[in-house]
Amino acid sequence: MRQWSDRVPAVADLLNPALIAAVIAAAAIEYNRRDARPMPFELAFLVVPLVLHRNTRQSLPIRVDSHLAKWVTSNEVLAAGFGARAKTLVEPVREGIRFGLRHGAVELNGAHITGHLRPGRVAEIGDIGDIVHKARFVGRWFTQLESPATAFALLGVEV
């Protein structure tokens, strides 16, 4: 990662480790709330690109019972570029996880991640409220999947 001071301000704002940690924590909280299990760690690398990219975030379904495969076929253009977007966000996601670990927003339990956000602690400035709201949705939505590998395959993300 570049030094913080060397980053373009607009990119630095969007890829802020605190925001990414909040996104991951929000998704993990809702995943656990709906499924009674902690969220698989690797899903953090899908949640972030799904909700940070405005067009993708705005195209996400409203209902958690809408299947990811159906969303992919209905949003082919967004899905086509998703794998590349996800790969470019690997380092910022790692940085967000490290930030979250240091500040208690996320906790790693083996291959799973648990979120801890206090109510009212996420600023509702600009798109942040919508980003975190959609992260919560994606956490619930991902509980419908058989495995994280299914999401990676459907979204065209190669590891």
Side-chain angles (χ1 to χ4, degrees):
M1 287 299 314
R2 284 182 172 180
Q3 291 295 329
W4 194 255
S5 59
D6 295 338
R7 299 179 195 191
V8 176
V11 173
D13 288 347
L14 189 60
L15 300 182
N16 178 331
L19 174 59
I20 292 175
V23 163
I24 294 167
I29 289 166
E30 291 301 318
Y31 188 100
N32 180 255
R33 188 174 291 157
R34 183 171 173 91
D35 198 55
R37 293 180 300 153
M39 185 174 82
F41 174 77
E42 57 269 36
L43 290 179
F45 294 90
L46 300 180
V47 172
V48 173
L50 279 170
V51 301
L52 288 187
H53 185 255
R54 179 178 283 151
N55 290 342
T56 302
R57 179 176 69 246
Q58 291 174 340
S59 73
L60 291 172
I62 299 169
R63 299 172 47 110
V64 293
D65 60 355
S66 175
H67 199 275
L68 180 60
K70 181 179 178 185
W71 179 84
V72 168
T73 57
S74 299
N75 295 277
E76 291 175 352
V77 173
L78 291 172
F82 185 83
R85 276 196 313 279
K87 280 190 174 194
T88 63
L89 291 175
V90 167
E91 276 308 310
V93 170
R94 286 180 180 160
E95 189 176 28
I97 291 170
R98 287 190 299 268
F99 183 93
L101 288 168
R102 278 192 306 275
H103 295 278
V106 297
E107 179 182 336
L108 293 178
N109 301 306
H112 294 86
I113 194 162
T114 306
H116 306 283
L117 288 178
R118 289 178 276 173
R121 295 291 300 188
V122 178
E124 298 279 334
I125 301 167
D127 288 347
I128 293 174
D130 189 43
I131 289 169
V132 174
H133 174 74
K134 284 297 186 173
R136 288 184 180 111
F137 167 79
V138 171
R140 291 189 305 272
W141 195 35
F142 278 174
T143 63
Q144 303 297 318
L145 300 170
E146 291 179 28
S147 74
T150 302
F152 277 80
L154 287 170
L155 292 167
V157 179
E158 297 175 6
V159 289

